[in-house]
Amino acid sequence: MSNETLEVRIEIRVVDGGCQGQRWVGPRASPHPLKKLRLLPTSRLDLRGRKRPLSEPVEALVARRPGFVPPGFEEMFDERGQHDLGQYLYGQLFSSLAEQERLALEQAKEVCVTVVCQDVFLTSIPWVLLARDGYFLALDERVNWTIALAADRESLDRTVDFPSSPTMLIAVPNPCTAEYGETSAAEHVEELESALRLHHADLVRGKQLRVVDRWADLVDSLQTHPPDVLYYYGHGHGDRQVARLVFPHPEPGKGVQEIPVADLALRLQRLVRKPYIVYLNCCHGDAGAGLGAGRQLADTVPAVISNRSLAFVPQARAQAIRFFQQTLVQGERPHTAMRQLYQPQLAQDSVSNPRWMTPVFYRSYGPWLARPVIQSGWLPDTDWSARLDRDVQWAIVFEKTCDMLYGGARRGLAFLWYGEEGQGLDLFHQRLRTQFRKRLPQVCLLEYRPHWPDVLGAKDLSHEDVYGTLGELYQKTFGVQTLSDVQRAILRAADPQCPKTLVYIRHAVLTPRQVLNLRFLEDYVCWWDQMLPRMLGPGQFALLGISYQAAPGEDPETFQHLVAEQMQLEDLRYTHIHCHVLSRLGHVDRRHLRRFIDEIGFPLPANRREQIVEDIWERSEHGMYEKVIVALQALLRTLHGGQSPG
């Protein structure tokens, strides 16, 4: 643990109907008594000029649900309301500072505040809002405060030696029912794996990373391959009475299987080798207080992260990626990494929305020993590889999408692209997803991945057969009974703060192993045009992405000739969509590779730059897209290891 970190421990307990505690500022400090603390549910504070019991804002956080905002919530948790509550909490914990304490807090480069308590209500208080002199201390980079919870003081003496090459288990249940909407789980696993494998070559599926989506598979994996890190991303259900994780029911068609967090805690307690980190990234994972993630898991797991209230997909995903980059790659201590999670700009958010303060952290360790994987301070964006080349194709998609969203008469766009194996056809899907999120922050992007139907290559299907097959496919994808219910499923999954929602229908790449009847493709696009008005509600738009991989020896331009010229798929008489066939995804030329390396900011020696570019070009078979990325990843690992690139 850094010598520059000032450890502050505050113990609070409820005794004889009152609240009292002690404060330690520094490891060898004498305790400072905290008497008559006003931290009971009935304690009254001034919130936006109105006296309220402390229980009112605390319970409002727990009560918030999709489609339900408790009375007074927006007033209590706008900037002023958050600050009033944070200032009140700071006054309770840090009133009457001794001179030695004040100097220690002012001179420390980093302050770690751990609130030790067992009372259910005290645990539910959003301590991360601590505010002083007009600033939230968890956000103020001038003071670098981190705020954690702990159940007892003894757990803070535990030393953790975190492995340099950790194993990770990811659980991503995505039941897609009428009650529990799409979470973009597959997309999130992709982006997380991409962010980690660049530095941990073995942290990929099939090696030290395992991915499950059912409770039975999670239990089995815990027993057969106990992980160092357990990450749950999905739906949660919690209030003062229950705290549960939501999995698909083991029997198809029976909805969901709700698993108490206590059941997961019991499974972890039985492990001989327990996880060092558990991150439950779901709504209300810690809402149950004594039944929630923190209290159930903190005795077993040194670092536990969950959400105290309603979580939103873009913010939850961005926060998790940043946390694991900080801890697994850069060797940060979990409580220090939490400070990055609270930055509103992480997910293009604002402090005016309480979503920034959703994660809550439980700490049961003292010294945390970890070795950073990277030695360089430079770290590229997680989506850097998806931005290689393809600028012409991306520009067309982005321009047409903006035209549709802002003034166009159509509700949907269908894009088709093609190329050979190894040319990154699937990575172009990722390019669209990541760039849309960055370029259109006020648009909620939802990604759905329907499986291609088995009748894809059948030659004797009627239009009615195709339409019926597609209807069933979309109902299953959105977890609804009729196509008219799709718009409600989209509304449940969308961010209510975004005025527009873009639904991205992403199909797997059509490969030579799949027999494709091009007439099916034509029927699909025509069906999509006809059905969109039923499936989309106000402010909802759709984008369909289909990609085709040519067979070995097949000229990829044959697909373009058949679809665009012979079938004239772009020129059919559509009512609600436009269709575009993009140009071929081919090799990356030297000029673009050189420019890309400069734009991303690879720190290359000036006198070696041209030779390094030439080496990458040769190793990638003269610009084969996916081999260029592999070569660039190897270059990054070399740079981060502090070595000179060869």
Side-chain angles (χ1 to χ4, degrees):
M1 182 169 291
S2 170
N3 292 327
E4 298 177 344
T5 300
L6 177 66
E7 291 282 352
V8 177
R9 186 175 83 245
I10 299 175
E11 297 184 5
I12 312 173
R13 59 191 180 279
V14 177
V15 180
D16 297 329
C19 197
Q20 60 188 32
Q22 290 180 303
R23 179 181 65 226
W24 288 261
V25 178
R28 291 178 293 276
S30 299
H32 179 91
L34 301 174
K35 299 179 179 179
K36 296 183 179 180
L37 294 173
R38 299 192 304 276
L39 293 172
L40 296 173
T42 55
S43 300
R44 301 185 70 81
L45 73 154
D46 192 339
L47 201 60
R48 288 184 56 89
R50 175 184 164 190
K51 291 291 184 181
R52 302 174 187 262
L54 183 56
S55 61
E56 191 170 336
V58 171
E59 296 300 333
L61 280 174
V62 176
R64 193 180 183 196
R65 293 285 184 275
F68 172 70
V69 179
F73 182 91
E74 294 178 350
E75 180 183 16
M76 288 187 287
F77 287 101
D78 64 5
E79 304 99 310
R80 173 68 185 279
Q82 292 178 50
H83 179 265
D84 285 354
L85 178 54
Q87 192 81 37
Y88 178 84
L89 296 175
Y90 180 86
Q92 294 301 303
L93 300 188
F94 293 96
S95 61
S96 63
L97 283 170
E99 182 65 14
Q100 186 177 1
E101 291 180 314
R102 186 186 62 79
L103 288 174
L105 289 171
E106 287 181 356
Q107 295 171 1
K109 294 186 177 180
E110 180 179 278
V111 176
C112 179
V113 177
T114 304
V115 178
V116 182
C117 59
Q118 295 188 348
D119 179 78
V120 169
F121 181 76
L122 292 173
T123 301
S124 304
I125 292 173
W127 298 106
V128 71
L129 286 178
L130 286 176
R132 181 185 66 190
D133 301 329
Y135 295 96
F136 295 109
L137 294 168
L139 300 181
D140 192 346
E141 296 181 356
R142 300 171 302 172
V143 295
N144 293 323
W145 280 43
T146 61
I147 298 147
L149 283 167
D152 58 75
R153 71 169 72 172
E154 288 76 18
S155 65
L156 300 178
D157 295 329
R158 181 193 311 187
T159 297
V160 172
D161 189 0
F162 191 71
S164 58
S165 184
T167 58
M168 188 174 189
L169 174 60
I170 302 177
V172 282
N174 191 14
C176 285
T177 65
E179 184 178 359
Y180 297 105
E182 171 68 42
T183 63
S184 301
E187 175 187 340
H188 182 42
V189 173
E190 271 184 9
E191 63 187 1
L192 182 57
E193 185 177 7
S194 176
L196 296 178
R197 70 185 175 197
L198 177 62
H199 313 285
H200 280 293
D202 291 333
L203 206 53
V204 295
R205 278 171 278 194
K207 292 188 177 181
Q208 291 180 208
L209 175 65
R210 299 176 68 83
V211 180
V212 298
D213 60 5
R214 305 215 171 235
W215 171 245
D217 295 333
L218 173 58
V219 171
D220 181 66
S221 293
L222 287 174
Q223 295 172 343
T224 58
H225 299 84
D228 298 313
V229 178
L230 172 61
Y231 177 49
Y232 174 92
Y233 173 78
H235 287 287
H237 168 57
D239 54 29
R240 290 304 190 201
Q241 310 304 320
V242 299
R244 294 175 180 171
L245 307 176
V246 181
F247 289 82
H249 197 280
E251 297 182 32
K254 289 196 173 183
V256 301
Q257 180 182 22
E258 294 189 358
I259 303 297
V261 172
D263 283 8
L264 175 62
L266 184 60
R267 303 284 181 176
L268 296 180
Q269 289 169 9
R270 292 172 178 171
L271 297 178
V272 176
R273 187 167 68 84
K274 299 173 175 58
Y276 297 93
I277 298 172
V278 171
Y279 192 153
L280 301 186
N281 202 359
C282 59
C283 293
H284 299 98
D286 203 54
L291 299 173
R295 292 298 301 277
Q296 289 291 326
L297 300 174
D299 289 341
T300 303
V301 180
V304 178
I305 306 96
S306 190
N307 294 317
R308 61 167 48 87
S309 184
L310 190 64
F312 293 89
V313 169
Q315 290 76 17
R317 284 168 46 172
Q319 287 168 332
I321 290 173
R322 178 61 62 86
F323 177 81
F324 288 122
Q325 280 184 317
Q326 294 280 308
T327 53
L328 306 190
V329 175
Q330 296 181 317
E332 289 282 5
R333 298 156 297 172
H335 62 276
T336 304
M338 288 297 295
R339 189 166 59 239
Q340 293 291 322
L341 269 64
Y342 294 126
Q343 301 301 317
Q345 64 269 28
L346 176 62
Q348 296 177 322
D349 213 336
S350 166
V351 75
S352 63
N353 193 308
R355 290 182 298 198
W356 72 269
M357 46 156 286
T358 297
V360 57
F361 178 70
Y362 286 82
R363 173 185 177 184
S364 300
Y365 62 87
W368 181 281
L369 309 178
R371 291 153 288 281
V373 176
I374 63 170
Q375 302 301 322
S376 166
W378 178 75
L379 191 68
D381 290 341
T382 57
D383 65 335
W384 68 271
S385 60
R387 305 206 308 270
L388 175 65
D389 199 60
R390 316 313 189 213
D391 292 342
V392 172
Q393 294 89 344
W394 156 248
I396 292 173
V397 175
F398 186 66
E399 178 186 2
K400 300 298 183 183
T401 303
C402 288
D403 288 345
M404 175 181 69
L405 291 170
Y406 301 106
R410 304 297 170 105
R411 303 290 299 280
L413 293 169
F415 291 101
L416 292 82
W417 58 90
Y418 60 98
E420 299 171 284
E421 183 178 7
Q423 295 293 16
L425 299 176
D426 195 54
L427 288 174
F428 190 64
H429 284 288
Q430 296 184 36
R431 170 75 172 266
L432 301 187
R433 180 185 73 213
T434 57
Q435 291 296 292
F436 276 137
R437 287 219 165 94
K438 285 189 174 181
R439 304 288 186 90
L440 300 171
Q442 298 305 312
V443 176
C444 176
L445 180 68
L446 300 178
E447 181 179 286
Y448 293 86
R449 301 187 184 190
H451 296 289
W452 284 113
D454 295 334
V455 298
L456 190 62
K459 298 184 181 300
D460 55 352
L461 284 178
S462 66
H463 292 299
E464 291 75 15
D465 290 335
V466 173
Y467 282 22
T469 297
L470 291 170
E472 293 175 1
L473 176 66
Y474 271 63
Q475 287 167 202
K476 181 178 179 181
T477 298
F478 287 90
V480 297
Q481 298 298 316
T482 70
L483 292 179
S484 298
D485 295 328
V486 169
Q487 57 183 278
R488 286 190 287 274
I490 294 171
L491 186 63
R492 284 193 299 271
D495 185 343
Q497 302 295 321
C498 294
K500 297 179 186 292
T501 299
L502 179 61
V503 179
Y504 181 28
I505 305 297
R506 171 181 172 176
H507 281 286
V509 177
L510 289 166
T511 67
R513 293 187 298 274
Q514 296 166 296
V515 179
L516 172 64
N517 178 357
L518 290 179
R519 286 299 169 190
F520 179 93
L521 199 58
E522 179 181 345
D523 283 344
Y524 184 2
V525 178
C526 290
W527 173 88
W528 206 64
D529 174 56
Q530 294 179 29
M531 293 298 111
L532 273 191
R534 290 181 59 188
M535 295 191 291
L536 299 180
Q540 298 174 354
F541 302 83
L543 191 152
L544 174 64
I546 297 175
S547 50
Y548 175 79
Q549 177 186 310
E554 176 189 357
D555 181 1
E557 296 297 343
T558 301
F559 178 79
Q560 196 276 342
H561 172 75
L562 291 173
V563 171
E565 299 177 21
Q566 185 171 316
M567 296 173 57
Q568 297 184 331
L569 202 58
E570 293 178 302
D571 301 320
L572 297 179
R573 296 177 64 87
Y574 301 114
T575 305
H576 305 288
I577 72 168
H578 287 300
C579 180
H580 302 276
V581 180
L582 304 178
S583 58
R584 174 182 175 180
L585 305 188
H587 281 62
V588 180
D589 61 42
R590 278 191 187 91
R591 180 178 59 85
H592 185 91
L593 175 60
R594 188 179 295 110
R595 188 172 71 246
F596 178 76
I597 287 175
D598 290 342
E599 289 175 351
I600 297 300
F602 284 67
L604 302 181
N607 61 344
R608 301 284 312 286
R609 176 175 172 273
E610 291 303 319
Q611 183 58 51
I612 292 170
V613 171
E614 191 63 29
D615 288 346
I616 292 174
W617 174 258
E618 293 295 334
R619 291 203 305 272
S620 64
E621 298 181 15
H622 297 176
M624 180 68 78
Y625 191 90
E626 292 177 14
K627 292 187 176 182
V628 170
I629 290 176
V630 170
L632 289 172
Q633 289 173 337
L635 173 62
L636 278 174
R637 283 193 288 270
T638 300
L639 293 170
H640 286 156
Q643 305 171 34
S644 176

